[in-house]
Amino acid sequence: MFLSFMQEVFNKKSDAALNELVLMAKSGDKKVMNDLLIQFTPFMKKTASFVCKRAIDEHDDEFSIAMSGFHDAVLQFNPEEKSSLTTFSHLIIKRRLIDYFRKESTRNDVIHLLKEENDTTGLDVQQYLFDQSSIVSYSREQQAAERREEIIEFTGLLKSYGLSFQELAKSSPKHTDSRRMAIQIAQIIAETPEFYTYLIANKKLPVKELESTIEVSRKTIERQRKYIIAVALLLNSHFVYIKEYIKGEFI
């Protein structure tokens, strides 16, 4: 009975069945969690390979990070939201791998820097690392002026895509779960060079590529097209103040 239930899920015939398994795993059922990890192993490899731009297998550290990310995604996933488990876990895995790359890069840079500094000047490590920070404060008037400049600049950017703030206000997803899903799709576009380059070059979404990468329908993408484009552009922009409007929606 259980095996047929699992088979139904992994043949993608029942979202409700998968959600039930997720809830079982979240409640502490280790066997179900292990089955999910095994059955979604190809997805983890595909996602890790997509991020790393090379083939990834079980022996790579990146695969372990991807599996850990998927495990945590299952625990964090809310089946009541419209976002699919694959879309949600894709973002989690990608974030984990990016953090891993940054830490490795930073660690290597710091080791090189400290060795270089200690060899030449004998500089105290803690003093060097912690005395370099500074605090920059802005007056309310300056902040208001910067907000106005951001709005003017972002308005021009939206116009080049045939969009406006008025259109976005009308087309923005009204339900929280729909809005979060749209933002997740926008995050994937903003964080994937190939997708973002396509958006910039063609002024439209890479719908076909998105469909093959994450479990989301063309209808959903098209319905939220304007909002997804605007958020993707915003995420890769320097508009600090405007980003505050959707702060807290990101994973």
Side-chain angles (χ1 to χ4, degrees), residues 32-42 44 67 70-71:
V32 172
M33 176 63 83
N34 187 59
D35 287 335
L36 286 171
L37 291 173
I38 292 173
Q39 295 296 335
F40 277 89
T41 290
M44 297 178 219
M67 178 172 282
F70 182 83
H71 178 276

Side-chain angles (χ1 to χ4, degrees), residues 17-31:
L18 176 57
N19 289 343
E20 186 173 339
L21 289 179
V22 169
L23 291 174
M24 291 169 68
K26 285 165 68 74
S27 67
D29 192 319
K30 294 183 179 179
K31 184 181 186 307

Side-chain angles (χ1 to χ4, degrees), residues 14 25 31 39 58 78 108 133 145 157 162 183 186-187 210 240 246:
S14 173
K31 184 181 186 307
Q39 295 296 335
E58 289 91 339
N78 182 0
N108 292 334
S133 63
L157 178 60
I183 290 176
Q187 282 181 279
L210 285 171
V240 178
I246 56 174

Side-chain angles (χ1 to χ4, degrees), residues 25-68:
K26 285 165 68 74
S27 67
D29 192 319
K30 294 183 179 179
K31 184 181 186 307
V32 172
M33 176 63 83
N34 187 59
D35 287 335
L36 286 171
L37 291 173
I38 292 173
Q39 295 296 335
F40 277 89
T41 290
F43 168 77
M44 297 178 219
K45 289 181 180 178
K46 179 181 178 181
T47 302
S49 298
F50 183 83
V51 176
C52 300
K53 311 300 181 188
R54 63 180 177 83
I56 298 295
D57 60 33
E58 289 91 339
H59 303 293
D60 293 308
D61 290 339
E62 290 85 351
F63 174 75
S64 297
I65 294 168
M67 178 172 282
S68 175

